[in-house]
Coordinates of all heavy atoms in Angstrom, one line a residue:
W130 N 262.9 -103.2 -119.1 CA 262.7 -101.8 -119.3 C 261.3 -101.4 -119.0 O 260.6 -100.7 -119.7 CB 263.2 -101.3 -120.7 CG 264.7 -101.3 -120.9 CD1 265.7 -101.6 -119.9 CD2 265.4 -101.0 -122.1 NE1 266.9 -101.4 -120.5 CE2 266.8 -101.1 -121.8 CE3 265.0 -100.7 -123.4 CZ2 267.8 -100.8 -122.8 CZ3 265.9 -100.4 -124.3 CH2 267.4 -100.5 -124.0
E138 N 259.4 -99.8 -122.2 CA 260.2 -99.1 -123.2 C 260.8 -100.2 -124.1 O 261.3 -101.1 -123.6 CB 261.3 -98.2 -122.6 CG 262.1 -97.5 -123.6 CD 262.7 -96.2 -123.1 OE1 262.4 -95.8 -122.0 OE2 263.5 -95.6 -123.8
R139 N 260.5 -100.0 -125.4 CA 260.9 -101.0 -126.3 C 260.3 -102.4 -126.1 O 261.0 -103.4 -126.2 CB 262.5 -101.1 -126.5 CG 263.2 -99.8 -126.6 CD 262.7 -99.0 -127.7 NE 263.2 -97.6 -127.7 CZ 262.8 -96.7 -128.5 NH1 261.8 -96.8 -129.3 NH2 263.4 -95.5 -128.5
N178 N 262.8 -100.0 -115.7 CA 263.6 -99.3 -116.8 C 264.8 -98.6 -116.3 O 264.7 -98.0 -115.2 CB 262.6 -98.4 -117.5 CG 263.1 -97.8 -118.8 OD1 264.2 -98.1 -119.2 ND2 262.2 -97.0 -119.4
V179 N 265.8 -98.6 -117.1 CA 267.0 -97.8 -116.8 C 266.7 -96.3 -116.9 O 267.5 -95.4 -116.3 CB 268.2 -98.1 -117.7 CG1 268.8 -99.5 -117.3 CG2 267.8 -98.1 -119.2
N180 N 265.7 -95.9 -117.6 CA 265.2 -94.5 -117.5 C 264.2 -94.5 -116.4 O 263.1 -94.9 -116.5 CB 264.5 -94.1 -118.9 CG 265.5 -94.1 -120.1 OD1 266.6 -93.7 -119.9 ND2 265.0 -94.5 -121.2
K260 N 271.9 -95.8 -115.3 CA 272.1 -95.2 -116.6 C 272.3 -93.7 -116.2 O 271.4 -93.1 -115.7 CB 270.9 -95.3 -117.5 CG 270.9 -94.4 -118.8 CD 269.8 -94.8 -119.7 CE 269.7 -93.9 -120.9 NZ 268.6 -94.3 -121.8
S263 N 273.2 -90.0 -119.7 CA 272.9 -90.6 -121.0 C 271.5 -90.3 -121.4 O 270.6 -90.5 -120.6 CB 273.1 -92.1 -120.9 OG 272.7 -92.8 -122.0
E264 N 271.3 -89.8 -122.6 CA 270.0 -89.5 -123.1 C 269.1 -88.8 -122.1 O 267.9 -89.2 -121.9 CB 269.3 -90.8 -123.6 CG 270.2 -91.5 -124.7 CD 269.5 -92.8 -125.3 OE1 268.7 -93.4 -124.6 OE2 269.8 -93.1 -126.5
R297 N 276.2 -98.4 -116.5 CA 276.2 -98.6 -118.0 C 277.1 -97.6 -118.7 O 277.3 -96.5 -118.3 CB 274.7 -98.4 -118.5 CG 273.8 -99.4 -118.0 CD 272.4 -99.1 -118.5 NE 272.1 -99.6 -119.8 CZ 271.5 -99.0 -120.7 NH1 271.2 -97.7 -120.6 NH2 271.2 -99.6 -121.9
F299 N 276.7 -96.7 -121.9 CA 276.0 -96.2 -123.0 C 275.9 -94.6 -122.8 O 274.9 -94.1 -122.5 CB 274.6 -96.8 -123.0 CG 273.8 -96.4 -124.2 CD1 274.2 -96.7 -125.5 CD2 272.6 -95.8 -124.0 CE1 273.4 -96.4 -126.6 CE2 271.8 -95.5 -125.1 CZ 272.2 -95.7 -126.4
Y301 N 276.8 -91.0 -124.5 CA 277.2 -90.3 -125.7 C 276.4 -89.0 -125.8 O 275.5 -88.8 -125.1 CB 277.0 -91.2 -126.9 CG 275.5 -91.4 -127.2 CD1 274.9 -90.7 -128.2 CD2 274.7 -92.3 -126.4 CE1 273.5 -90.8 -128.4 CE2 273.3 -92.5 -126.7 CZ 272.8 -91.7 -127.7 OH 271.4 -91.9 -127.9
R314 N 279.4 -90.6 -132.8 CA 278.8 -91.3 -131.6 C 279.5 -92.7 -131.3 O 279.6 -93.0 -130.1 CB 277.3 -91.6 -132.0 CG 276.6 -92.5 -131.1 CD 275.1 -92.4 -131.3 NE 274.4 -93.5 -130.6 CZ 273.1 -93.7 -130.5 NH1 272.4 -93.0 -131.3 NH2 272.6 -94.6 -129.8
K338 N 277.3 -102.3 -123.9 CA 276.5 -102.9 -125.0 C 277.4 -103.6 -125.9 O 278.6 -103.3 -126.1 CB 275.7 -101.8 -125.8 CG 274.6 -101.2 -125.0 CD 273.7 -100.3 -125.8 CE 272.5 -99.8 -125.0 NZ 271.6 -99.0 -125.8
D343 N 274.2 -99.0 -130.9 CA 272.9 -99.4 -130.3 C 272.1 -100.6 -130.8 O 271.1 -100.4 -131.5 CB 271.9 -98.1 -130.3 CG 270.8 -98.2 -129.3 OD1 270.9 -99.1 -128.4 OD2 269.9 -97.4 -129.4
F344 N 272.6 -101.7 -130.6 CA 271.9 -103.0 -130.9 C 271.4 -103.1 -132.4 O 270.3 -103.6 -132.6 CB 270.7 -103.1 -130.0 CG 271.0 -103.2 -128.5 CD1 270.3 -102.3 -127.7 CD2 272.0 -103.9 -128.0 CE1 270.6 -102.4 -126.3 CE2 272.2 -104.0 -126.6 CZ 271.5 -103.2 -125.8
E365 N 276.1 -106.3 -122.4 CA 274.7 -106.0 -122.5 C 274.2 -106.4 -123.9 O 274.5 -105.7 -124.8 CB 274.4 -104.6 -122.2 CG 272.9 -104.2 -122.2 CD 272.6 -102.7 -121.9 OE1 273.4 -102.1 -121.2 OE2 271.5 -102.3 -122.2
E371 N 264.5 -104.4 -130.6 CA 264.2 -103.0 -131.0 C 264.5 -102.7 -132.5 O 263.7 -102.1 -133.1 CB 265.0 -102.1 -130.1 CG 264.8 -100.6 -130.3 CD 265.6 -99.8 -129.4 OE1 266.2 -100.3 -128.4 OE2 265.5 -98.5 -129.6
Y372 N 265.7 -103.1 -132.9 CA 266.1 -102.8 -134.3 C 266.1 -104.1 -135.1 O 266.6 -104.1 -136.2 CB 267.5 -102.2 -134.3 CG 267.6 -100.9 -133.5 CD1 268.0 -100.9 -132.2 CD2 267.2 -99.7 -134.1 CE1 268.1 -99.8 -131.4 CE2 267.4 -98.5 -133.4 CZ 267.8 -98.6 -132.1 OH 267.9 -97.4 -131.4
H506 N 261.6 -96.7 -134.1 CA 262.7 -97.6 -134.6 C 262.2 -98.8 -135.4 O 262.8 -99.9 -135.4 CB 263.6 -98.0 -133.4 CG 264.3 -96.9 -132.8 ND1 264.9 -97.0 -131.6 CD2 264.4 -95.6 -133.2 CE1 265.5 -95.8 -131.3 NE2 265.1 -95.0 -132.3
W519 N 271.0 -87.5 -133.5 CA 271.4 -88.7 -132.8 C 272.7 -89.4 -133.2 O 273.1 -90.4 -132.8 CB 270.3 -89.8 -132.8 CG 269.1 -89.3 -132.2 CD1 268.0 -88.6 -132.8 CD2 268.7 -89.4 -130.8 NE1 267.1 -88.3 -131.9 CE2 267.5 -88.8 -130.6 CE3 269.3 -90.0 -129.7 CZ2 266.8 -88.7 -129.4 CZ3 268.7 -89.9 -128.5 CH2 267.4 -89.3 -128.3
Ligands
GCV701 C1 266.2 -97.3 -122.2 C2 268.3 -96.8 -127.0 C3 266.8 -97.0 -126.9 C4 266.2 -96.4 -125.7 C5 267.0 -96.9 -124.4 C6 268.5 -96.6 -124.7 C7 269.3 -97.2 -123.6 O1 268.5 -95.5 -127.3 O2 266.2 -96.5 -128.1 O3 264.9 -96.6 -125.6 O4 266.5 -96.4 -123.2 O5 268.9 -97.2 -125.9 O6 269.9 -98.3 -123.8 O7 269.5 -96.7 -122.5

Side-chain angles (χ1 to χ4, degrees):
W130 286 356
E138 183 150 352
R139 313 307 173 188
N178 190 358
V179 287
N180 293 325
K260 171 174 177 178
S263 170
E264 298 184 333
R297 295 177 88 228
F299 183 63
Y301 69 100
R314 171 169 170 180
K338 285 192 181 183
D343 197 11
F344 304 131
E365 179 178 342
E371 178 176 356
Y372 300 96
H506 296 169
W519 299 89

